[in-house]
């Protein structure tokens, strides 16, 4: 370092110290007689500016944190972790219940018979699977396609919450009772929840019947189409 550079650095340091001194004088004039030096406060201050603090949450990071998950018993019999697919900044996210046999094999949500019906519904809304995001309440297949158990949902849900925070969708479509009740934290039947918007994680959530239910009860397709039309209107998609 040359003398000129050294003098410049010393001057800058003195300027900073001068600023700190005047600020402390100002605090003293306003009646401040000390600082909170608890361990917690010191940690908070020393964390300021850490890259970790300011890096935005990404789906890649969440997937990495999930790792080869063994947090619940479903890991023992699954073939794939079904994380989610689609636009990482989608305006609309579809949330199902959990992977079935086809999804477990493919590692992708909604690719079986119910998935094909969901794809048709998405196309009827003038959208594509690539323009939305599709995921589930739980990421591993429950044996025999039983409903997820409360502790399985509780273990997996924080990852879905992080996915939603990363995607920041304007709209969520909850497919079926498990998805709707988990996301809304209630036990109301899907027949009472569907057909109107609810608030969920900063998005407007429309619950509707699960495509598997529609395969067994095709007369309910009319209700689902009404729910999708309500979503289209709010999203500004022409009917
Ligand atoms: N049913 C679901 O709830 N999710 C899938 O991914 C497939 C079927």
């Amino acid at each position: 370092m040359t003398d000129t550079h050294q003098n410049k650095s010393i001057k800058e340091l003195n300027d900073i110290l001068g600023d700190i001194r005047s600020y402390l004088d100002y605090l003293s004039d306003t009646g401040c007689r000390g600082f909170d030096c608890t361990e917690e406060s010191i940690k908070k201050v020393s964390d300021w500016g850490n890259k970790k603090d300011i890096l935005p949450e990404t789906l890649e990071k969440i997937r990495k944190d999930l790792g080869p998950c063994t947090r619940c018993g479903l890991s023992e019999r699954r073939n794939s972790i079904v994380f989610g697919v689609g636009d990482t900044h989608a305006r609309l996210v579809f949330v199902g219940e959990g992977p079935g046999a086809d999804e477990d094999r493919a590692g992708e949500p909604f690719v079986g018979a119910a998935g094909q019906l969901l794809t048709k519904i998405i196309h009827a809304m003038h959208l594509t699977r690539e323009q939305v995001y599709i995921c589930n309440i739980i990421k591993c297949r429950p044996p025999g396609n039983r409903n997820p158990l409360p502790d399985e949902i509780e273990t997996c849900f924080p990852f879905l919450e992080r996915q939603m925070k990363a995607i920041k969708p304007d709209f969520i479509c909850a497919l079926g009772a498990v998805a709707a009740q988990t996301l809304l934290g209630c036990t109301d039947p899907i027949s009472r929840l569907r057909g109107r918007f609810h608030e969920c994680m900063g998005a407007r959530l429309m619950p509707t019947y699960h495509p598997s239910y529609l395969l067994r009860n095709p007369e309910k397709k009319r209700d689902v189409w009404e729910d999708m039309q309500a979503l289209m209107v709010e999203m500004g998609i022409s009917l």
Side-chain angles (χ1 to χ4, degrees):
M1 195 186 260
T2 63
D3 279 356
T4 332
H5 277 120
Q6 199 165 7
N7 288 342
K8 197 166 166 246
S9 301
I10 290 169
K11 183 178 173 319
E12 279 169 0
L13 198 57
N14 278 332
D15 285 349
I16 293 169
L17 286 173
D19 285 347
I20 293 173
R21 199 169 296 122
S22 349
Y23 188 59
L24 289 175
D25 284 342
Y26 162 77
L27 288 177
S28 162
D29 289 347
T30 59
C32 177
R33 293 286 168 266
F35 298 98
D36 170 12
C37 289
T38 56
E39 215 173 285
E40 195 195 355
S41 300
I42 288 171
K43 181 169 177 332
K44 217 176 269 175
V45 172
S46 57
D47 279 350
W48 284 349
N50 266 358
K51 281 221 179 80
K52 187 164 71 63
D53 262 14
I54 54 177
L55 276 181
E57 179 87 302
T58 63
L59 292 177
E60 291 81 19
K61 165 90 170 44
I62 302 164
R63 181 64 191 87
K64 203 163 148 231
D65 289 349
L66 183 62
C69 185
T70 53
R71 291 172 181 81
C72 83
L74 294 179
S75 61
E76 285 160 29
R77 292 170 64 177
R78 63 135 195 265
N79 288 303
S80 321
I81 294 177
V82 180
F83 186 71
V85 286
D87 182 354
T88 55
H89 298 294
R91 286 185 71 209
L92 170 61
V93 174
F94 286 92
V95 184
E97 180 178 314
D102 294 309
E103 291 74 21
D104 178 56
R105 227 173 286 126
E108 185 173 330
F110 285 99
V111 291
Q116 282 164 28
L117 181 52
L118 177 62
T119 305
K120 279 191 192 160
I121 293 170
I122 293 170
H123 289 167
M125 297 174 74
H126 308 309
L127 293 167
T128 64
R129 278 176 75 102
E130 291 71 31
Q131 286 175 311
V132 299
Y133 192 81
I134 307 174
C135 53
N136 282 303
I137 293 291
I138 57 163
K139 296 179 173 20
C140 297
R141 182 192 181 209
N145 289 347
R146 63 158 169 74
N147 278 359
L149 301 174
D151 69 300
E152 292 160 354
I153 294 179
E154 202 181 308
T155 308
C156 213
F157 194 63
F159 290 94
L160 180 63
E161 271 184 312
R162 287 177 62 187
Q163 282 170 281
M164 294 297 168
K165 275 192 194 140
I167 299 168
K168 299 191 195 74
D170 296 326
F171 298 92
I172 298 172
C173 178
L175 300 166
V178 171
Q181 292 170 350
T182 304
L183 289 165
L184 297 173
C186 71
T187 53
D188 300 7
I190 184 70
S191 55
R192 201 146 358 114
L193 292 170
R194 63 154 290 274
R196 61 198 162 90
F197 286 98
H198 304 251
E199 184 60 34
C200 174
M201 298 190 234
R204 299 181 68 198
L205 181 144
M206 172 63 81
T208 198
Y209 293 120
H210 192 286
S212 302
Y213 177 75
L214 291 186
L215 291 173
R216 299 189 302 273
N217 302 276
E219 73 282 2
K220 296 289 182 191
K221 283 183 184 172
R222 182 187 292 263
D223 287 342
V224 171
W225 183 232
E226 274 174 18
D227 299 342
M228 296 307 101
Q229 283 183 312
L231 262 171
M232 289 167 76
V233 168
E234 292 304 304
M235 291 177 75
I237 301 172
S238 48
L239 296 177

